[in-house]
Every structure is written in structure tokens, then in C-alpha cells.
Amino acid sequence: QVQLVESGGGQAQTGGSLRLSCTASGRTVSSWAMGWFRQAPGKEREFVAGISWTGGSTSYADSVKGRFTISRDNAKNTVYLQMNSLRPEDTAVYYCAARAASGYYSDYTDFDSWGQGTTVTVSS
């Protein structure tokens, strides 16, 4: 079992930036696919970004392409989500997820482990 802990959430202004981190413990996730999802109040959880275990392959939701960047540091067992040009519609709880497999995934049912989430609030 792997535990995932997100950090870096907070408040930002429209156009601002935040960097989320997700650190795994309990086992190494260097060979696991990782992803970020978000859930806004009253809405379903949605895919944000995914990354393969090498970091060589990434995928993004259309709504964040060109603004968000997912990356990972396997030596630190950590995945990041750099969020730039933030918009009020990016306000949500952001969750880190892991899957014990190679490749990258975008469906929340594909992931085995989840963090507790970190809240991002973007004001206009």
C-alpha cells in the first residue's frame, strides 16, 4: 500500500501560479504511473494530467493544456503539478493518484491509490 500526500495548494489570483507536490511513502512509485485529478464543488472528479513512470509521456485535459505541467522526481518519490495562468474555474480540490503500471492514464477508475487532496482557490 502506498500513501500519497499532496501539498502546495492555497489561494491565488487570476493569472497567478501555484505548484502542487505529491509525495509517496510506503513504497517507491518510481515504476508507477501517476496522475492529478480535481473536483470542484458540486461537480464530478475530473482528470487534469497524467505521467508515465519514466516521465517521458504526459497527457493533459484540454482545459489545462499550455498552462499546467506535470513532472516527477523519482529519486524523491514525488510528482509535481506546475499551474500557471490560473483561472477562477481552476478552483477545486486537487488529488494525486497512482497506478502500479507503466504508461499513463486519464480515467479515475484506472488508479489504485489516492491522496487526501489539497485545495486550490483562484480569485478574480
Side-chain angles (χ1 to χ4, degrees):
Q1 187 74 17
V2 62
Q3 291 78 45
L4 304 174
V5 178
E6 302 96 337
S7 61
Q11 294 188 334
Q13 299 278 341
T14 296
S17 298
L18 287 173
R19 188 195 196 201
L20 306 184
S21 299
C22 170
T23 300
S25 62
R27 63 178 299 166
T28 180
V29 293
S30 59
S31 60
W32 290 31
M34 304 292 292
W36 285 97
F37 289 75
R38 67 186 182 186
Q39 188 166 15
K43 295 188 177 181
E44 294 186 351
R45 190 169 299 191
E46 65 174 359
F47 170 75
V48 176
I51 189 167
S52 63
W53 73 275
T54 63
S57 297
T58 57
S59 62
Y60 296 92
D62 288 342
S63 59
V64 306
K65 278 181 182 176
R67 301 188 299 122
F68 291 10
T69 302
I70 188 171
S71 61
R72 65 190 299 163
D73 185 338
N74 285 340
K76 296 182 178 180
N77 237 19
T78 299
V79 176
Y80 304 97
L81 185 68
Q82 178 66 45
M83 305 186 297
N84 298 329
S85 302
L86 284 164
R87 304 168 180 169
E89 53 263 41
D90 295 319
T91 295
V93 177
Y94 284 71
Y95 298 91
C96 175
R99 175 188 168 107
S102 59
Y104 57 91
Y105 304 87
S106 60
D107 192 312
Y108 76 93
T109 61
D110 291 327
F111 290 86
D112 307 307
S113 302
W114 292 84
Q116 294 298 307
T118 185
T119 301
V120 171
T121 304
V122 183
S123 58
S124 57

